[in-house]
Short mmCIF file of all heavy atoms in Angstrom, two decimals:
data_model
loop_
_atom_site.label_atom_id
_atom_site.label_comp_id
_atom_site.label_asym_id
_atom_site.label_seq_id
_atom_site.Cartn_x
_atom_site.Cartn_y
_atom_site.Cartn_z
N ARG A 200 0.87 -1.18 0.00
CA ARG A 200 0.00 0.00 0.00
C ARG A 200 0.90 1.21 0.00
O ARG A 200 1.86 1.28 0.76
CB ARG A 200 -0.89 -0.03 1.25
CG ARG A 200 -1.59 1.28 1.65
CD ARG A 200 -2.61 1.73 0.62
NE ARG A 200 -3.54 2.72 1.13
CZ ARG A 200 -3.33 4.03 1.11
NH1 ARG A 200 -2.20 4.53 0.66
NH2 ARG A 200 -4.26 4.85 1.58
N TYR A 201 0.62 2.16 -0.86
CA TYR A 201 1.45 3.35 -0.90
C TYR A 201 0.63 4.59 -0.61
O TYR A 201 -0.60 4.58 -0.70
CB TYR A 201 2.18 3.48 -2.24
CG TYR A 201 1.28 3.57 -3.46
CD1 TYR A 201 0.82 4.80 -3.90
CD2 TYR A 201 0.90 2.44 -4.16
CE1 TYR A 201 0.00 4.89 -5.02
CE2 TYR A 201 0.09 2.51 -5.27
CZ TYR A 201 -0.36 3.74 -5.69
OH TYR A 201 -1.17 3.83 -6.79
N ALA A 202 1.30 5.66 -0.23
CA ALA A 202 0.66 6.93 0.05
C ALA A 202 1.46 8.02 -0.66
O ALA A 202 2.68 7.95 -0.77
CB ALA A 202 0.63 7.20 1.55
N PHE A 203 0.75 9.02 -1.13
CA PHE A 203 1.39 10.15 -1.79
C PHE A 203 1.94 11.11 -0.74
O PHE A 203 1.46 11.14 0.40
CB PHE A 203 0.39 10.87 -2.69
CG PHE A 203 -0.01 10.06 -3.89
CD1 PHE A 203 -1.23 9.41 -3.93
CD2 PHE A 203 0.85 9.92 -4.96
CE1 PHE A 203 -1.60 8.66 -5.03
CE2 PHE A 203 0.49 9.16 -6.06
CZ PHE A 203 -0.73 8.53 -6.10
N PRO A 204 2.95 11.91 -1.09
CA PRO A 204 3.52 12.84 -0.12
C PRO A 204 2.47 13.75 0.53
O PRO A 204 2.55 14.01 1.73
CB PRO A 204 4.53 13.65 -0.95
CG PRO A 204 4.98 12.67 -1.99
CD PRO A 204 3.73 11.90 -2.34
N SER A 205 1.48 14.18 -0.22
CA SER A 205 0.45 15.05 0.37
C SER A 205 -0.33 14.32 1.47
O SER A 205 -0.72 14.93 2.47
CB SER A 205 -0.50 15.56 -0.71
OG SER A 205 -1.10 14.47 -1.40
N GLU A 206 -0.55 13.02 1.31
CA GLU A 206 -1.23 12.23 2.34
C GLU A 206 -0.35 12.09 3.57
O GLU A 206 -0.83 12.17 4.71
CB GLU A 206 -1.58 10.84 1.81
CG GLU A 206 -2.62 10.87 0.70
CD GLU A 206 -2.82 9.50 0.10
OE1 GLU A 206 -1.94 9.07 -0.68
OE2 GLU A 206 -3.84 8.87 0.42
N LEU A 207 0.95 11.87 3.35
CA LEU A 207 1.88 11.78 4.48
C LEU A 207 1.93 13.11 5.23
O LEU A 207 1.98 13.13 6.47
CB LEU A 207 3.27 11.39 3.99
CG LEU A 207 3.38 10.03 3.31
CD1 LEU A 207 4.79 9.83 2.77
CD2 LEU A 207 2.99 8.92 4.27
N ASP A 208 1.90 14.22 4.49
CA ASP A 208 1.92 15.54 5.12
C ASP A 208 0.69 15.74 6.00
O ASP A 208 0.79 16.28 7.11
CB ASP A 208 1.99 16.65 4.07
CG ASP A 208 3.30 16.66 3.29
OD1 ASP A 208 4.26 16.00 3.73
OD2 ASP A 208 3.34 17.32 2.24
N LEU A 209 -0.47 15.31 5.52
CA LEU A 209 -1.69 15.44 6.31
C LEU A 209 -1.63 14.58 7.56
O LEU A 209 -1.98 15.03 8.66
CB LEU A 209 -2.92 15.07 5.47
CG LEU A 209 -4.26 15.11 6.21
CD1 LEU A 209 -4.54 16.50 6.79
CD2 LEU A 209 -5.39 14.68 5.27
N MET A 210 -1.16 13.34 7.43
CA MET A 210 -1.03 12.47 8.60
C MET A 210 -0.06 13.06 9.61
O MET A 210 -0.30 13.03 10.82
CB MET A 210 -0.59 11.06 8.19
CG MET A 210 -1.66 10.27 7.48
SD MET A 210 -1.20 8.56 7.16
CE MET A 210 -0.30 8.74 5.62
N ALA A 211 1.04 13.62 9.11
CA ALA A 211 2.02 14.25 10.00
C ALA A 211 1.40 15.45 10.70
O ALA A 211 1.58 15.63 11.92
CB ALA A 211 3.25 14.68 9.20
N GLN A 212 0.66 16.28 9.96
CA GLN A 212 0.02 17.45 10.55
C GLN A 212 -0.96 17.04 11.65
O GLN A 212 -0.98 17.63 12.73
CB GLN A 212 -0.72 18.24 9.47
CG GLN A 212 -1.40 19.49 9.98
CD GLN A 212 -2.18 20.19 8.88
OE1 GLN A 212 -2.33 19.68 7.77
NE2 GLN A 212 -2.70 21.36 9.20
N LEU A 213 -1.73 15.99 11.40
CA LEU A 213 -2.68 15.50 12.40
C LEU A 213 -1.97 14.96 13.64
O LEU A 213 -2.54 14.94 14.73
CB LEU A 213 -3.59 14.43 11.80
CG LEU A 213 -4.55 14.92 10.72
CD1 LEU A 213 -5.25 13.74 10.06
CD2 LEU A 213 -5.54 15.92 11.28
N ALA A 214 -0.72 14.54 13.49
CA ALA A 214 0.07 14.04 14.61
C ALA A 214 0.89 15.14 15.28
O ALA A 214 1.70 14.87 16.16
CB ALA A 214 1.00 12.93 14.13
N GLY A 215 0.69 16.39 14.85
CA GLY A 215 1.42 17.50 15.46
C GLY A 215 2.79 17.73 14.87
O GLY A 215 3.65 18.34 15.51
N LEU A 216 3.02 17.24 13.66
CA LEU A 216 4.31 17.44 13.00
C LEU A 216 4.14 18.40 11.83
O LEU A 216 3.04 18.60 11.33
CB LEU A 216 4.85 16.10 12.49
CG LEU A 216 5.02 15.01 13.52
CD1 LEU A 216 5.42 13.71 12.83
CD2 LEU A 216 6.04 15.40 14.56
N ARG A 217 5.25 18.99 11.40
CA ARG A 217 5.19 19.82 10.20
C ARG A 217 6.37 19.49 9.31
O ARG A 217 7.45 19.11 9.77
CB ARG A 217 5.14 21.30 10.52
CG ARG A 217 6.41 21.89 11.05
CD ARG A 217 6.19 23.37 11.36
NE ARG A 217 7.45 23.97 11.70
CZ ARG A 217 8.11 24.81 10.92
NH1 ARG A 217 7.61 25.17 9.77
NH2 ARG A 217 9.26 25.30 11.31
N LEU A 218 6.16 19.65 8.03
CA LEU A 218 7.19 19.36 7.05
C LEU A 218 8.29 20.41 7.13
O LEU A 218 8.01 21.61 7.01
CB LEU A 218 6.58 19.33 5.64
CG LEU A 218 7.55 19.07 4.49
CD1 LEU A 218 8.12 17.66 4.58
CD2 LEU A 218 6.84 19.27 3.16
N GLU A 219 9.51 19.98 7.34
CA GLU A 219 10.66 20.88 7.35
C GLU A 219 11.24 21.00 5.94
O GLU A 219 11.55 22.09 5.49
CB GLU A 219 11.73 20.37 8.31
CG GLU A 219 11.38 20.51 9.76
CD GLU A 219 11.34 21.96 10.21
OE1 GLU A 219 12.13 22.78 9.70
OE2 GLU A 219 10.50 22.26 11.08
N ARG A 220 11.40 19.85 5.28
CA ARG A 220 11.96 19.86 3.92
C ARG A 220 11.71 18.53 3.25
O ARG A 220 11.48 17.52 3.91
CB ARG A 220 13.44 20.19 3.92
CG ARG A 220 14.28 19.21 4.70
CD ARG A 220 15.71 19.63 4.71
NE ARG A 220 16.34 18.99 3.57
CZ ARG A 220 17.61 18.68 3.49
NH1 ARG A 220 18.41 19.00 4.45
NH2 ARG A 220 18.10 18.08 2.45
N ARG A 221 11.74 18.55 1.94
CA ARG A 221 11.55 17.32 1.17
C ARG A 221 12.51 17.38 -0.02
O ARG A 221 12.61 18.38 -0.70
CB ARG A 221 10.11 17.22 0.68
CG ARG A 221 9.88 16.04 -0.25
CD ARG A 221 8.40 15.84 -0.57
NE ARG A 221 7.72 15.32 0.62
CZ ARG A 221 6.58 15.79 1.09
NH1 ARG A 221 5.97 16.77 0.49
NH2 ARG A 221 6.04 15.25 2.17
N THR A 222 13.21 16.26 -0.24
CA THR A 222 14.11 16.15 -1.39
C THR A 222 13.74 14.89 -2.17
O THR A 222 12.99 14.05 -1.70
CB THR A 222 15.58 16.07 -0.94
OG1 THR A 222 15.75 14.94 -0.09
CG2 THR A 222 16.00 17.33 -0.21
N ALA A 223 14.28 14.79 -3.37
CA ALA A 223 13.96 13.64 -4.23
C ALA A 223 14.70 12.38 -3.81
O ALA A 223 14.26 11.28 -4.13
CB ALA A 223 14.28 13.96 -5.69
N ASN A 224 15.81 12.53 -3.10
CA ASN A 224 16.58 11.38 -2.64
C ASN A 224 17.57 11.82 -1.57
O ASN A 224 17.54 12.98 -1.14
CB ASN A 224 17.28 10.67 -3.81
CG ASN A 224 18.09 11.62 -4.65
OD1 ASN A 224 18.73 12.51 -4.12
ND2 ASN A 224 18.04 11.47 -5.96
N TRP A 225 18.45 10.92 -1.15
CA TRP A 225 19.36 11.22 -0.04
C TRP A 225 20.47 12.20 -0.42
O TRP A 225 21.13 12.74 0.46
CB TRP A 225 19.98 9.93 0.50
CG TRP A 225 18.97 9.07 1.20
CD1 TRP A 225 18.43 7.91 0.75
CD2 TRP A 225 18.36 9.33 2.46
NE1 TRP A 225 17.51 7.41 1.64
CE2 TRP A 225 17.45 8.27 2.72
CE3 TRP A 225 18.48 10.35 3.40
CZ2 TRP A 225 16.68 8.21 3.87
CZ3 TRP A 225 17.71 10.27 4.56
CH2 TRP A 225 16.82 9.22 4.78
N ASP A 226 20.69 12.44 -1.71
CA ASP A 226 21.75 13.40 -2.08
C ASP A 226 21.21 14.82 -2.23
O ASP A 226 21.86 15.67 -2.81
CB ASP A 226 22.49 12.94 -3.35
CG ASP A 226 21.63 13.02 -4.60
OD1 ASP A 226 20.50 13.52 -4.55
OD2 ASP A 226 22.11 12.56 -5.66
N ASP A 227 20.02 15.08 -1.70
CA ASP A 227 19.41 16.41 -1.66
C ASP A 227 19.00 16.95 -3.03
O ASP A 227 18.89 18.15 -3.21
CB ASP A 227 20.31 17.43 -0.96
CG ASP A 227 20.39 17.17 0.53
OD1 ASP A 227 19.46 16.56 1.08
OD2 ASP A 227 21.39 17.57 1.15
N SER A 228 18.76 16.08 -4.00
CA SER A 228 18.23 16.54 -5.28
C SER A 228 16.85 17.13 -5.05
O SER A 228 16.10 16.64 -4.22
CB SER A 228 18.13 15.39 -6.28
OG SER A 228 19.39 14.84 -6.55
N PRO A 229 16.49 18.17 -5.80
CA PRO A 229 15.18 18.80 -5.60
C PRO A 229 14.03 17.84 -5.87
O PRO A 229 14.09 17.03 -6.79
CB PRO A 229 15.17 19.94 -6.62
CG PRO A 229 16.59 20.17 -6.99
CD PRO A 229 17.30 18.86 -6.81
N PHE A 230 13.00 17.94 -5.05
CA PHE A 230 11.78 17.16 -5.25
C PHE A 230 10.90 17.92 -6.24
O PHE A 230 10.59 19.10 -6.03
CB PHE A 230 11.05 16.98 -3.91
CG PHE A 230 9.78 16.19 -4.03
CD1 PHE A 230 9.83 14.81 -4.17
CD2 PHE A 230 8.55 16.81 -4.01
CE1 PHE A 230 8.66 14.07 -4.28
CE2 PHE A 230 7.37 16.08 -4.12
CZ PHE A 230 7.44 14.71 -4.25
N THR A 231 10.53 17.26 -7.33
CA THR A 231 9.71 17.89 -8.36
C THR A 231 8.50 17.01 -8.68
O THR A 231 8.38 15.90 -8.15
CB THR A 231 10.51 18.12 -9.66
OG1 THR A 231 10.82 16.83 -10.23
CG2 THR A 231 11.80 18.88 -9.39
N THR A 232 7.66 17.46 -9.57
CA THR A 232 6.47 16.69 -9.95
C THR A 232 6.83 15.42 -10.68
O THR A 232 6.00 14.52 -10.79
CB THR A 232 5.53 17.53 -10.82
OG1 THR A 232 6.24 17.99 -11.96
CG2 THR A 232 4.98 18.72 -10.04
N THR A 233 8.06 15.30 -11.18
CA THR A 233 8.47 14.08 -11.88
C THR A 233 9.29 13.14 -10.99
O THR A 233 9.70 12.08 -11.44
CB THR A 233 9.29 14.42 -13.14
OG1 THR A 233 10.44 15.16 -12.76
CG2 THR A 233 8.45 15.22 -14.13
N SER A 234 9.49 13.52 -9.73
CA SER A 234 10.26 12.66 -8.80
C SER A 234 9.51 11.37 -8.54
O SER A 234 8.29 11.37 -8.38
CB SER A 234 10.49 13.39 -7.48
OG SER A 234 11.28 14.55 -7.66
N THR A 235 10.24 10.27 -8.49
CA THR A 235 9.63 8.96 -8.21
C THR A 235 9.88 8.51 -6.78
O THR A 235 9.32 7.51 -6.34
CB THR A 235 10.17 7.89 -9.18
OG1 THR A 235 11.59 7.83 -9.03
CG2 THR A 235 9.80 8.21 -10.61
N HIS A 236 10.72 9.22 -6.05
CA HIS A 236 11.03 8.92 -4.65
C HIS A 236 11.07 10.23 -3.88
O HIS A 236 11.14 11.31 -4.47
CB HIS A 236 12.39 8.23 -4.52
CG HIS A 236 12.45 6.90 -5.18
ND1 HIS A 236 12.64 6.77 -6.54
CD2 HIS A 236 12.32 5.66 -4.69
CE1 HIS A 236 12.64 5.48 -6.85
NE2 HIS A 236 12.45 4.78 -5.74
N HIS A 237 11.06 10.13 -2.57
CA HIS A 237 11.23 11.33 -1.76
C HIS A 237 11.80 10.98 -0.40
O HIS A 237 11.64 9.87 0.09
CB HIS A 237 9.92 12.12 -1.60
CG HIS A 237 8.91 11.43 -0.75
ND1 HIS A 237 8.77 11.69 0.59
CD2 HIS A 237 7.98 10.50 -1.05
CE1 HIS A 237 7.80 10.96 1.08
NE2 HIS A 237 7.31 10.20 0.11
N VAL A 238 12.48 11.97 0.17
CA VAL A 238 12.94 11.91 1.55
C VAL A 238 12.32 13.13 2.22
O VAL A 238 12.55 14.26 1.78
CB VAL A 238 14.48 11.97 1.65
CG1 VAL A 238 14.93 12.01 3.10
CG2 VAL A 238 15.10 10.79 0.91
N SER A 239 11.49 12.90 3.22
CA SER A 239 10.77 14.00 3.87
C SER A 239 11.20 14.08 5.33
O SER A 239 11.27 13.07 6.02
CB SER A 239 9.26 13.79 3.79
OG SER A 239 8.85 13.78 2.44
N LEU A 240 11.48 15.29 5.79
CA LEU A 240 11.90 15.53 7.16
C LEU A 240 10.79 16.32 7.86
O LEU A 240 10.41 17.40 7.41
CB LEU A 240 13.21 16.32 7.19
CG LEU A 240 13.71 16.76 8.56
CD1 LEU A 240 14.06 15.55 9.41
CD2 LEU A 240 14.89 17.69 8.41
N TYR A 241 10.27 15.75 8.93
CA TYR A 241 9.22 16.39 9.72
C TYR A 241 9.77 16.73 11.09
O TYR A 241 10.66 16.05 11.60
CB TYR A 241 8.02 15.45 9.88
CG TYR A 241 7.33 15.11 8.58
CD1 TYR A 241 7.68 13.96 7.87
CD2 TYR A 241 6.34 15.91 8.07
CE1 TYR A 241 7.05 13.64 6.69
CE2 TYR A 241 5.70 15.60 6.88
CZ TYR A 241 6.06 14.46 6.20
OH TYR A 241 5.45 14.13 5.01
N SER A 242 9.22 17.77 11.71
CA SER A 242 9.61 18.12 13.07
C SER A 242 8.36 18.30 13.91
O SER A 242 7.28 18.54 13.38
CB SER A 242 10.46 19.39 13.09
OG SER A 242 9.70 20.49 12.65
N HIS A 243 8.54 18.18 15.22
CA HIS A 243 7.42 18.34 16.14
C HIS A 243 7.03 19.81 16.18
O HIS A 243 7.88 20.68 16.27
CB HIS A 243 7.79 17.85 17.54
CG HIS A 243 6.67 17.96 18.50
ND1 HIS A 243 6.56 19.00 19.38
CD2 HIS A 243 5.59 17.16 18.70
CE1 HIS A 243 5.45 18.84 20.09
NE2 HIS A 243 4.85 17.73 19.70
N GLN A 244 5.74 20.05 16.13
CA GLN A 244 5.23 21.41 16.19
C GLN A 244 4.48 21.55 17.51
O GLN A 244 3.48 20.86 17.73
CB GLN A 244 4.28 21.65 15.02
CG GLN A 244 3.72 23.04 14.95
CD GLN A 244 2.90 23.22 13.69
OE1 GLN A 244 3.19 22.63 12.67
NE2 GLN A 244 1.87 24.03 13.77
N PRO A 245 4.95 22.41 18.41
CA PRO A 245 4.25 22.57 19.69
C PRO A 245 2.78 22.94 19.46
O PRO A 245 2.44 23.62 18.51
CB PRO A 245 5.01 23.71 20.38
CG PRO A 245 6.36 23.71 19.73
CD PRO A 245 6.13 23.24 18.32
N ALA A 246 1.91 22.46 20.34
CA ALA A 246 0.47 22.66 20.18
C ALA A 246 0.07 24.12 20.11
O ALA A 246 -0.86 24.48 19.42
CB ALA A 246 -0.27 21.97 21.33
N ASP A 247 0.79 25.01 20.81
CA ASP A 247 0.42 26.43 20.81
C ASP A 247 1.05 27.20 19.66
O ASP A 247 0.81 28.38 19.49
CB ASP A 247 0.79 27.08 22.14
CG ASP A 247 2.29 27.01 22.43
OD1 ASP A 247 2.98 26.20 21.77
OD2 ASP A 247 2.75 27.75 23.31
#
């Protein structure tokens, strides 16, 4: 079962996380609409 990055972002937001950055792979290539992979970094967002 797979999920799109936008779905992962919503799940993270519901868990109190926010997207810090997203790249296409581990070498920091830019994530674009044609990317087939991604590395996403989330951080905890305080409730207030």
Side-chain angles (χ1 to χ4, degrees):
R200 163 66 163 88
Y201 60 89
F203 291 103
S205 58
E206 294 173 285
L207 298 175
D208 294 346
L209 177 58
M210 288 186 275
Q212 181 183 7
L213 293 172
L216 303 174
R217 71 182 187 108
L218 179 66
E219 289 291 326
R220 60 183 269 207
R221 174 172 288 133
T222 59
N224 52 40
W225 291 107
D226 69 6
D227 290 336
S228 298
F230 180 76
T231 68
T232 57
T233 60
S234 297
T235 58
H236 296 81
H237 69 95
V238 176
S239 298
L240 175 65
Y241 296 93
S242 65
H243 182 261
Q244 182 175 328
D247 60 343

